[in-house]
Amino acid sequence: MTQDPAGRTVVTIDLDGVTDKAGLMDRCARALDLPEWFGRNWDALADVLSDHSLWPEHAEERGLLIVVRGWGEYARARPEEWEVAEEVFAEATDRAAGLFVSLG
């Protein structure tokens, strides 16, 4: 993890090679160091993204920037699923002060 110029904690979710929801959930769980009980479904993803207690250390005070990169292959393989993923990211940013998601 790094920090951006604004001091926010930056976490990168690399989706290179991911073409389905299961792969997306696995990459999110790994990059965000989510607990074993993470449900690996859309509602669970929205919940954990907006739960400050699950964010990396100091991210609650400074903010959390999640950069999602390499998502094009997934979006092409499963456009309807990717649309839901984008909605989940947007919903989480609306629900959690200090959370920003950027599609790189």
Side-chain angles (χ1 to χ4, degrees):
M1 277 177 268
T2 61
Q3 287 186 349
D4 71 356
R8 295 177 294 207
T9 300
V10 178
V11 174
T12 300
I13 300 173
D14 186 350
L15 298 182
D16 283 338
V18 170
T19 58
D20 63 11
K21 179 180 167 185
L24 170 79
M25 295 296 169
D26 288 344
R27 297 282 177 96
C28 288
R30 193 173 319 130
L32 296 164
D33 195 25
L34 297 177
E36 286 293 317
W37 52 259
F38 168 55
R40 287 176 161 64
N41 61 61
W42 298 122
D43 290 334
L45 182 59
D47 289 344
V48 298
L49 289 174
S50 57
D51 185 345
H52 292 114
S53 71
L54 297 175
W55 288 8
E57 188 175 4
H58 304 298
E60 184 173 358
E61 303 91 43
R62 299 177 184 156
L64 176 60
L65 171 60
I66 298 173
V67 178
V68 183
R69 55 180 296 259
W71 54 269
E73 186 177 355
Y74 181 36
R76 286 187 296 279
R78 302 205 184 202
E80 296 84 17
E81 276 185 21
W82 178 248
E83 186 176 318
V84 174
E86 287 182 300
E87 290 172 12
V88 167
F89 292 138
E91 177 187 325
T93 60
D94 287 345
R95 289 176 25 186
L99 175 63
F100 304 88
V101 178
S102 173
L103 301 179

